[in-house]
Amino acid sequence: MKNIQIPKELFLDLCRHHLADIRSPEQDQRIQQGLQDKLDAVRRRSDYHRQKRDTHEHDKKDI
């Protein structure tokens, strides 16, 4: 399993929300947006690597 890094502020918001039970609508929005941004970045990276791998495999077949 690979690790994923998140910004420190997102981590702190998550800790406040889940561990300290401190919640606000603004914090909920920051958490949701931060997680969505990270998910989008992970998907883009995965798509890039899949495309790169597929291109490399296609090039090997041509040789």
Side-chain angles (χ1 to χ4, degrees):
M1 177 184 289
K2 294 188 177 195
N3 294 325
I4 294 178
Q5 294 182 348
I6 61 171
K8 181 180 177 180
E9 286 304 314
L10 175 56
F11 175 74
L12 294 174
D13 279 341
L14 287 165
C15 288
R16 285 184 206 101
H17 182 84
H18 291 285
L19 300 177
D21 206 28
I22 299 171
R23 297 190 169 119
S24 73
E26 296 83 16
Q27 179 191 46
D28 291 343
Q29 180 61 34
R30 284 193 311 268
I31 290 171
Q32 183 178 5
Q33 188 61 53
L35 291 174
Q36 186 63 56
D37 291 347
K38 190 60 179 181
L39 179 61
D40 292 345
V42 168
R43 285 182 179 158
R44 284 192 307 271
R45 184 172 177 86
S46 177
D47 290 347
Y48 169 78
H49 283 289
R50 186 178 312 111
Q51 180 184 20
K52 189 174 177 180
R53 182 195 69 225
D54 291 349
T55 301
H56 180 70
E57 289 175 2
H58 183 293
D59 291 345
K60 283 173 53 177
K61 288 179 184 177
D62 290 343
I63 295 177

